Amino acid sequence: MKHFHRLLSGLLLCLLLAAAFPPAPAAALSDVPDGFWAENDIRRCVELGYIYPESNGSFGVGKELTRAEFLVILSRFFGWKAASPARLVYDDVSEEAWYAGVIESAYQQGVLTNQSHGFRPDDPITRSEAAYLLIRALGYGNIAGLIQDISLPFQDVRINTGYIAMAYGLGLMDGASVTTFNPDGRLTREQAAVLLMRLHEKTQAVNTGWSGILTSAQDIPDLSGCEAVAIAAFQLTYNGSPQLSPILSDTETTALRAAAKEAQVKQLLYVSGDDYHLRENAPEMAAVLLQAVRDGNYDGLFLDITGLTNNTQQKALSETARLLREGLTGGRLLYLTAEAPSWGGRVYGYDYAALGEAADRLVLRIDYPASTAGGIPTAPLQPLEEVYYALNRLRGLVDAGKITLLLDSTGSLWNSGVFQENIPGEEIAALLENAQSYYSSRYACAYLEDGGTVVWYLDGQSIQDRTRLARLFGGGRLCLTNLNGVLPELLAAMP
């Protein structure tokens, strides 16, 4: 009975609070004059219900937020369901406190971790603490830990370095000056409104879309909503001069192009090759590729050349890209792949700025090393930390709207110490009928265990997590390596 009364009291309190502080029309905010520096963000934030006005009809400009208030605001933005009835998580947070359920929910989700010093709910929240909570709420705590030694332009940052670096690098928080962040400065309500609306605008961005590669006439999926499909018809060869060798038969190519035409999807000629095929003969290479596009009457070219490691190859590909851009007239598209900058420090022979200038889409192939962690074989596909590293390195070099993440539609398998790549989607689907599946929040990648077999693969949640991170950088375009036999949930989750 005691618990029932506590629950009833909590519900009544929530109703009273909601009635006392309902979202009000932004125009009614008495302390937000026209032309105020945060006026638009405040009005939108109130309209969306992220921050409620004060009881007197003002917004509370200049008022410092407490740690509990900021966490409640984050809960509204992210849609967390407050735990009810709340249990004791921190000694200094009463179970009857109006924010107790939110704090417990945040703790359960890993946003809050340290219980040793209490939560200090009524303390004003600092800018450093706000960056910490924000990045953890986004699920990027592991990435922030990996970049904690990163160099920052701010001379006054000593703790929470990785979190501040992410909040600043993603354009969510500004520095106090060119060389200072003011980590101990207190966050005001209007500053929180600006932060939240920046995050809102980035995550709601429409600069997204998806494409994919078709390698077979078997198991062609529904291509509705796709920007373009690449028909894997040729590969590069070299016999004194660049040449193209067919991969698909004419019958297969015709079937694939018919499916793309029926779906009203752009058809690109996909040509693959590696460093061996790239010589110092850019004009010849470009001429061969352009002729193939014209002969097939394709809507563009998808050129995928891997393994570049030196300046000679870099210059050859950049010059080829420039000539292709000039030659693809009439609105024809140019997709170029490049191996993305890697956290492990691998150096690739790609001039990202030059390729990004020439291409309509710069498609990044992201490294994923295989290893063992905690006794579990790990080979997560395009792990989130590598996606972050690549996008952060290319920030300012390449138009974010052109950057496209190349994601594996196949899986990677460990069995008795043997590693195998390119496990087809239909094989993964068959294993999932009897295997236990899990989701690694660190890598943002799914995996299944079936006896001695471990398979890593991308699922719908993986797609959503990568899309959101790319959107925070101003992008959000994805490309699947093989559309044939792809898991249906991958296509359902594509932006």
Side-chain angles (χ1 to χ4, degrees):
M1 184 63 70
K2 179 179 179 182
H3 292 295
F4 173 79
H5 285 301
R6 179 183 297 170
L7 175 60
L8 182 59
S9 298
L11 290 173
L12 289 173
L13 179 60
C14 289
L15 290 172
L16 288 171
L17 287 169
F21 305 105
L29 300 173
S30 60
D31 58 345
V32 183
D34 291 343
F36 183 63
W37 71 273
E39 176 191 1
N40 292 335
D41 289 325
I42 288 173
R43 295 185 187 283
R44 285 287 290 142
C45 208
V46 170
E47 289 169 358
L48 292 169
Y50 297 148
I51 300 181
Y52 295 170
E54 300 281 89
S55 58
N56 62 3
S58 69
F59 179 74
V61 170
K63 183 178 179 181
E64 297 170 354
L65 285 170
T66 67
R67 287 166 54 82
E69 287 171 338
F70 184 69
L71 199 62
V72 169
I73 289 170
L74 286 183
S75 76
R76 293 178 191 144
F77 182 89
F78 289 102
W80 302 338
K81 184 178 180 180
S84 181
R87 65 179 180 85
L88 186 66
V89 176
Y90 293 94
D91 290 339
D92 59 354
V93 177
S94 167
E95 294 169 87
E96 278 75 33
W98 66 275
Y99 46 75
V102 169
I103 290 178
E104 181 185 346
S105 176
Y107 180 79
Q108 290 174 347
Q109 295 181 63
V111 178
L112 303 175
T113 57
N114 192 347
Q115 291 180 283
S116 61
H117 302 295
F119 180 68
R120 300 179 287 112
D122 298 323
D123 284 4
I125 190 165
T126 66
R127 286 166 50 80
S128 174
E129 292 168 339
Y132 175 87
L133 290 177
L134 175 64
I135 296 304
R136 292 196 69 85
L138 285 166
Y140 302 149
N142 177 71
I143 298 174
L146 291 173
I147 64 172
Q148 62 183 345
D149 296 325
I150 194 171
S151 177
L152 277 172
F154 309 125
Q155 300 173 2
D156 57 349
V157 174
R158 299 290 182 271
I159 61 173
N160 291 339
T161 307
Y163 295 94
I164 291 172
M166 289 196 73
Y168 174 70
L170 292 173
L172 301 175
M173 297 183 73
D174 298 324
S177 72
V178 175
T179 59
T180 61
F181 184 76
N182 189 21
D184 297 326
R186 296 174 176 182
L187 193 74
T188 63
R189 287 169 61 87
E190 64 269 24
Q191 289 170 346
V194 171
L195 185 159
L196 285 184
M197 292 318 302
R198 287 178 179 178
L199 182 58
H200 175 84
E201 295 301 326
K202 286 176 177 289
T203 54
Q204 300 299 316
V206 295
N207 190 22
T208 57
W210 68 278
S211 54
I213 303 168
L214 286 170
T215 63
S216 167
Q218 302 296 319
D219 300 318
I220 302 174
D222 180 3
L223 300 174
S224 301
C226 186
E227 284 187 328
V229 292
I231 312 297
F234 293 100
Q235 64 182 3
L236 283 167
T237 60
Y238 187 85
N239 186 17
S241 63
Q243 299 175 16
L244 295 181
S245 176
I247 299 175
L248 300 174
S249 67
D250 291 342
T251 301
E252 290 176 305
T253 299
T254 300
L256 293 177
R257 299 195 65 178
K261 183 177 181 180
E262 183 179 357
Q264 298 182 343
V265 175
K266 297 278 188 182
Q267 304 168 37
L268 309 179
L269 174 63
Y270 177 86
V271 178
S272 60
D274 56 34
D275 57 316
Y276 174 78
H277 305 117
L278 193 65
R279 310 297 175 92
E280 295 181 71
N281 49 10
E284 292 182 56
M285 173 78 79
V288 168
L289 293 169
L290 289 171
Q291 189 62 50
V293 171
R294 287 192 289 265
D295 288 346
N297 195 28
Y298 283 93
D299 297 312
L301 174 69
F302 191 127
L303 181 60
D304 184 1
I305 298 182
T306 61
L308 274 60
T309 58
N310 59 56
N311 288 335
T312 299
Q313 295 167 345
Q314 179 186 98
K315 292 178 181 179
L317 181 58
S318 297
E319 178 62 9
T320 300
R322 186 187 67 79
L323 294 171
L324 289 171
R325 177 71 283 158
E326 291 179 357
L328 288 169
T329 57
R332 285 191 170 103
L333 301 172
L334 177 60
Y335 282 47
L336 297 172
T337 63
E339 292 172 73
S342 168
W343 207 300
R346 292 175 62 184
V347 178
Y348 297 110
Y350 298 90
D351 184 335
Y352 299 106
L355 297 181
E357 181 68 24
D360 293 286
R361 301 283 182 267
L362 180 61
V363 185
L364 297 180
R365 176 174 278 106
I366 296 171
D367 190 29
Y368 62 95
S371 61
T372 302
I376 299 177
T378 60
L381 310 177
Q382 293 80 52
L384 205 63
E385 59 201 50
E386 291 288 351
V387 174
Y388 171 82
Y389 183 83
L391 294 176
N392 194 52
R393 281 286 304 274
L394 297 183
R395 186 166 45 114
L397 283 178
V398 180
D399 179 354
K402 291 185 175 185
I403 292 179
T404 301
L405 303 178
L406 185 63
L407 303 181
D408 278 284
S409 52
T410 57
S412 61
L413 177 148
W414 287 88
N415 192 345
S416 301
V418 177
F419 177 62
Q420 180 182 346
E421 296 180 284
N422 300 320
I423 307 303
E426 56 265 29
E427 187 173 330
I428 296 172
L431 288 169
L432 284 171
E433 293 180 2
N434 301 304
Q436 181 67 44
S437 62
Y438 306 90
Y439 191 79
S440 168
S441 57
R442 168 177 178 174
Y443 301 116
C445 190
Y447 66 97
L448 63 84
E449 291 185 278
D450 183 17
T453 299
V454 177
V455 177
W456 289 81
Y457 63 99
L458 298 180
D459 62 358
Q461 185 62 51
S462 307
I463 296 298
Q464 293 173 16
D465 286 342
R466 282 155 184 76
T467 300
R468 184 176 69 171
L469 180 57
R471 281 176 170 168
L472 288 173
F473 278 98
R477 300 185 185 279
L478 309 177
C479 178
L480 291 177
T481 56
N482 191 347
L483 290 173
N484 299 97
V486 66
L487 284 172
E489 66 175 300
L490 282 188
L491 292 183
M494 296 303 278

